[in-house]
Amino acid sequence: MGPGRGGGVRELLTIGAFARAARLSPKALRLYDELGLLPPAAVDGESGYRFYGPDQLEKARLIAWLRRLGMPLASIRQVCDLPAAEAAVAIGTYWERVLAETADRGRLAGFLVDHLSGRGSAMGNLGIRYAARSEAGPVRDSNEDIAYAGPRLIAVADGMRGPGGDRASAVAVDALKPLETVPADDLLGALAEAVRDAQKAVGDGVTTLTALYWSGSRLALAHIGDTRAYRLRDGELSLITVDHTYVRSLVDQGQLTEDEAAVHPQRSLLVKALTGTGDTTPDLSLHEAAAGDRYLLCSDGLTAAVPANDLREVLSGPGDPRQTLDELITRAYDAGAEDNVAGVIADVVHLEPADSRKA
């Protein structure tokens, strides 16, 4: 006996009526039938028409909802075969993965915008997005702070106040810029040589200098003075340079606490800086970058006004490098900073498709 000709079969719904009740199209129902995901309750042997039972509506609606989430049909089949509690866990796990992949795609989209706008660069399977800014303090009549960001190099320098301080920081950074275009088989050696060129260029001037130089996932760090480099990784903020100051040396010797050092009247007194004499050498080190890293280089005008906890809070936020840097500088001046402030932020982004990373 075919559907609609007697008995309980009369309670079945046509594919059109069932589609409207389930908010699915007849085309989708036919596909789900072919895949064995939602077979009809009965099929008319003469016409081939599909008929569905009212008790199938709950499963049909669940399928419709999961499709709206973008869940693949193979995953939907697995969820529909689970008890309700286990299905809820599976859906939650799927959505967490979607959010993570969406965030990853968002970072990649941001990188592409910056890359095509000249504010980002690709290096193998990694890329960096970057922004640089230097601001004169509200009571300063000169700005000795220099901030630079390019495809493979970021740097901050803070020249000593007085005549020639701005020139010293500018020529020191300019001496590093050729690194953007030279091969980097010996990353640290190339950076060290560029710093020696910077020392010669500085002449009688005095400046601090902190620079990061990229090649793929490797980066070289050169540092001298009290400009700083931070790395934010997995929510943890790490200072990856050591201040070359008199007060820092007292802390290292156990003569001062960190809190005492923060308010010490000689906290800005340098024991090492970049000069033309060449009698001081910078700290040089190699590091491994990872997708998701965020690096901050900055002058002491920022760190003297913005505590480490606030730095971490802002750097952990959703803003791109430019937005984040602007917020940090705004916080510094809102906190009463009088000094010049320079900063660079670089974000490391994974460029490989997610599918290739899972292979």
Side-chain angles (χ1 to χ4, degrees), residues 97-98 101 104-105 350 352-359:
R97 186 169 67 251
V98 168
E101 292 174 354
D104 198 30
R105 290 196 297 271
H350 211 306
E352 284 188 341
D355 289 346
S356 69
R357 299 206 301 272
K358 294 175 184 176

Side-chain angles (χ1 to χ4, degrees), residues 49 52 55 75 82 94 118 153 156 236 262 275 292 297 314 342 357:
Y49 289 161
Y52 294 83
D55 59 342
S75 299
L82 295 172
Y94 165 77
L153 173 74
V156 168
E236 296 294 327
T275 67
L297 305 188
V314 176
R357 299 206 301 272

Side-chain angles (χ1 to χ4, degrees), residues 5-29:
R5 296 185 181 178
V9 176
R10 292 193 186 94
E11 298 177 2
L12 298 182
L13 302 173
T14 65
I15 189 172
F18 187 79
R20 288 190 294 275
R23 296 187 177 181
L24 288 167
S25 68
K27 180 179 179 181
L29 289 172

Side-chain angles (χ1 to χ4, degrees), residues 242-296:
V242 176
D243 292 347
H244 297 141
T245 60
Y246 171 67
V247 166
R248 181 72 251 175
S249 67
L250 295 180
V251 172
D252 292 342
Q253 296 167 19
Q255 298 182 38
L256 284 180
T257 67
E258 295 285 355
D259 290 341
E260 290 169 338
V263 295
H264 196 283
Q266 293 181 302
R267 59 185 177 276
S268 297
L269 180 62
L270 297 175
V271 294
K272 285 178 67 174
L274 193 74
T275 67
T277 63
D279 56 1
T280 56
T281 57
D283 296 340
L284 295 167
S285 56
L286 277 173
H287 302 261
E288 195 72 16
D293 284 354
R294 169 168 275 183
Y295 291 86
L296 167 69

Side-chain angles (χ1 to χ4, degrees), residues 189-205:
L191 181 58
E193 182 63 30
V195 172
R196 285 192 286 272
D197 291 339
Q199 287 177 317
K200 296 174 185 176
V202 165
D204 295 334

Side-chain angles (χ1 to χ4, degrees), residues 101-116:
E101 292 174 354
T102 300
D104 198 30
R105 290 196 297 271
R107 287 189 290 270
L108 178 56
F111 162 78
L112 291 173
V113 171
D114 283 352
H115 180 46
L116 296 173

